[in-house]
């Protein structure tokens, strides 16, 4: 990403000179619009409308925060994983999520926003993360349900982002999606083992799916007619499909998978609609969604408190890393302080 930022794109070179000519942005707007229309990538050094930049910062920050807050509910089970194999897999998965946060904070940096600034906003409650992580992980089976459903929903949302109009975000998503598909499979495999296990294990898997199904459907955001940012994001090709479209795609993928898992999805209205060529599903409780979003979910306070504490306790690591980098850059830590 740093390389991309350092190399002006053809568009940056062709129009770079004109950018000194302050005042008239119409020409830049035209170039930007043409690039988006032609499915070209917008790169950090290209001119972009302020609102496009602000939308990307908001979305990438929320995505990055979700990755690192999402480490908490699953990390809760690392010490209690039932075998060394399961523990190693879960540790690798949680570590991947930290990496995803890192790629995304880096992508946000290319828009001129530092990681410190974004973390401060998260800690102050001024930026959001995905509401799904405000639900507790009550049993070991929740690790499976999160992998299968939450990472599965994330993939459905994120695969189209690999074609997002902003280059650094799109490129970060390519690797993230590859790792997410590993996460989804580990969740599926874990649930399958439980589902085929003892009656108690099967019941535990079913209970976890019952609790995570509806919140997973809410991960796609409010219905299209209530979605604040959707239309503009689609016009800018940041978003490629609407919330309802992606939600439907996810339901259609999950129903046959639930059947092969031997588990039931907790929705009596779920049935194949021959005419639409999709599964119909029951109404979503949006009151619950808005409550969790407002901060009234079961774990909102706990998640943000733990994040703040981790940040404070990690201060010495950041200081040491900065001093080390400074030393290797030939400087002197004390002189700089
Ligand atoms: Fe992730
Ligand atoms: Fe993941």
């Amino acid at each position: 990403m740093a390389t991309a930022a350092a190399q002006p794109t053809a568009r940056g070179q062709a129009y770079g000179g004109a950018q000194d000519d302050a005042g008239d942005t119409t020409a830049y707007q035209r170039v930007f619009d043409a690039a988006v229309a032609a499915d070209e990538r917008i790169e950090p050094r290209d001119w972009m409308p302020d609102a496009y930049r602000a939308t990307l910062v908001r979305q990438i920050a929320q995505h990055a925060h979700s990755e690192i807050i999402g480490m908490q509910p699953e990390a809760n089970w690392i010490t209690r994983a039932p075998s060394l194999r399961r523990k190693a897999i879960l540790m690798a998965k949680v570590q991947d999520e930290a990496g995803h946060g890192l790629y995304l904070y880096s992508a946000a940096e290319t828009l001129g926003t530092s990681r410190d600034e974004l973390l401060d906003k998260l800690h102050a409650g001024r930026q959001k993360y995905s509401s799904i992580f405000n639900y507790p992980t009550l049993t070991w089976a929740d690790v499976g349900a999160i992998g299968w459903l939450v990472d599965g929903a994330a993939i459905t949302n994120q695969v189209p982002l690999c074609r997002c109009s902003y280059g650094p975000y799109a490129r970060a998503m390519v690797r993230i999606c590859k790792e997410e598909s590993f996460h989804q499979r580990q969740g599926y495999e874990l649930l399958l083992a439980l589902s085929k296990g003892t009656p108690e294990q099967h019941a535990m898997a079913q209970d976890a799916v019952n609790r995570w199904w509806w919140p997973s459907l809410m991960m796609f955001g409010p219905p299209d007619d209530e979605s604040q940012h959707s239309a503009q994001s689609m016009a800018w090709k940041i978003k490629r499909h609407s919330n309802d479209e992606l939600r439907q795609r996810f339901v259609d993928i999950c129903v046959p998978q639930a059947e092969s898992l031997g588990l039931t999805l907790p929705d009596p209205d779920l049935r194949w609609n021959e005419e639409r060529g999709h599964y119909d599903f029951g109404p979503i409780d949006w009151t619950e969604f808005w409550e969790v979003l407002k901060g009234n979910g079961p774990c909102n306070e706990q998640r943000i408190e733990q994040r703040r504490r981790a940040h404070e306790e990690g201060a010495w690591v950041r200081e040491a890393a900065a001093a080390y980098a400074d030393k290797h850059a030939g400087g002197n830590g004390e002189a700089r302080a």
Side-chain angles (χ1 to χ4, degrees), residues 67 74 93 97 100 151 154 179-180 183:
E67 299 286 354
E74 289 184 284
K93 196 238 179 197
E97 307 299 4
H100 297 173
D151 290 277
E179 292 177 349
E180 294 301 357
H183 298 170

Side-chain angles (χ1 to χ4, degrees), residues 264-301:
T264 316
L265 294 171
D267 179 356
D269 297 329
L270 204 57
R271 61 181 58 86
W272 178 252
N273 183 324
E274 194 65 54
E275 218 170 283
R276 293 199 310 123
H278 292 290
Y279 283 93
D280 288 337
F281 53 97
I284 295 173
D285 180 4
W286 291 108
T287 333
E288 175 183 321
F289 174 81
W290 294 115
E291 276 305 305
V292 180
L293 200 70
K294 270 194 283 177
N296 303 326
C299 299
N300 294 57
E301 265 173 54

Side-chain angles (χ1 to χ4, degrees), residues 63 65 77 95 112 122-123 152 164 206 248 280 287 302 317:
H63 192 166
H65 298 332
W77 283 93
Q95 188 172 300
L122 170 66
H123 299 152
C164 154
Q206 183 60 60
Q248 180 70 61
D280 288 337
T287 333
Q302 177 190 332
V317 180

